[in-house]
Amino acid sequence: MWEFLFFALVFGPFLAPCVVLCTAVPLAWRACTRRPVLSGRLPRFTTCVLAAVLGGAGAYGAYSWGVMSGFYLLDPDQMCALKGARGDHVVTQWTLPLSTRCVTSDDAGTELVPVWVNPVIFMGLALLLVALVAGTLAKVRGRRAAESGSAARPWPSDAGSRA
């Protein structure tokens, strides 16, 4: 089990961009071929699923990049020295927000995790949660409309252009 988690973190920075690209292309296609959601209606369920996968993969990729940037295959003193910190080091780590700091005896700290990692993690998680809620609501409304016998079509002109 631990080996799987280790390999998931090691290969995360390489696999996540592939998943992001594979979900961004269909989302962009949907955005170009369909009417914009300006009337307050929910997007379709499959669009919400794609957005959730995009947000989750982005957050996962950024998290694994940040963890591996502060993960020392070398001695902690060597990792801190590679980042330019001088003197004796104490390494402090936080899981969320992701942080690995080399702190010297005179309280000078050097952050090993890149600055962009935490905002990408939190934006990806927010997109994931919003897309899951919107997808659930869209699915429930679609089932209610199917049970009542009426097709929910907010744009009558879209009847022939559905892909």
Side-chain angles (χ1 to χ4, degrees):
M1 178 69 182
W2 292 109
E3 293 86 9
F4 173 74
L5 292 175
F6 176 73
F7 284 122
L9 284 175
V10 169
F11 292 116
F14 305 108
L15 296 176
C18 297
V19 174
V20 166
L21 184 65
C22 289
T23 55
V25 169
L27 277 174
W29 178 259
R30 286 172 171 271
C32 291
T33 59
R34 299 207 171 115
R35 290 184 186 247
V37 182
L38 298 176
S39 64
R41 65 182 176 94
L42 291 173
R44 293 186 181 159
F45 177 72
T46 52
T47 303
C48 294
V49 168
L50 286 171
V53 169
L54 179 75
Y60 166 67
Y63 188 81
S64 60
W65 185 276
V67 166
M68 294 312 290
S69 67
F71 179 77
Y72 13 91
L73 298 173
L74 307 171
D75 186 34
D77 289 332
Q78 292 174 344
M79 284 300 291
C80 294
L82 284 174
K83 291 293 183 175
R86 305 275 184 233
D88 295 331
H89 303 98
V90 175
V91 176
T92 60
Q93 293 181 328
W94 290 90
T95 304
L96 230 106
L98 193 58
S99 174
T100 302
R101 293 183 51 130
C102 298
V103 182
T104 61
S105 57
D106 59 347
D107 284 337
T110 303
E111 182 67 42
L112 297 178
V113 177
V115 174
W116 58 268
V117 168
N118 285 316
V120 172
I121 291 171
F122 289 120
M123 285 188 300
L125 290 176
L127 177 62
L128 173 71
L129 291 176
V130 168
L132 287 176
V133 168
T136 303
L137 289 175
K139 195 66 166 178
V140 167
R141 285 186 181 177
R143 283 190 181 166
R144 285 185 185 164
E147 287 173 358
S148 69
S150 65
R153 289 191 182 159
W155 301 98
S157 63
D158 281 349
S161 67
R162 289 193 173 203

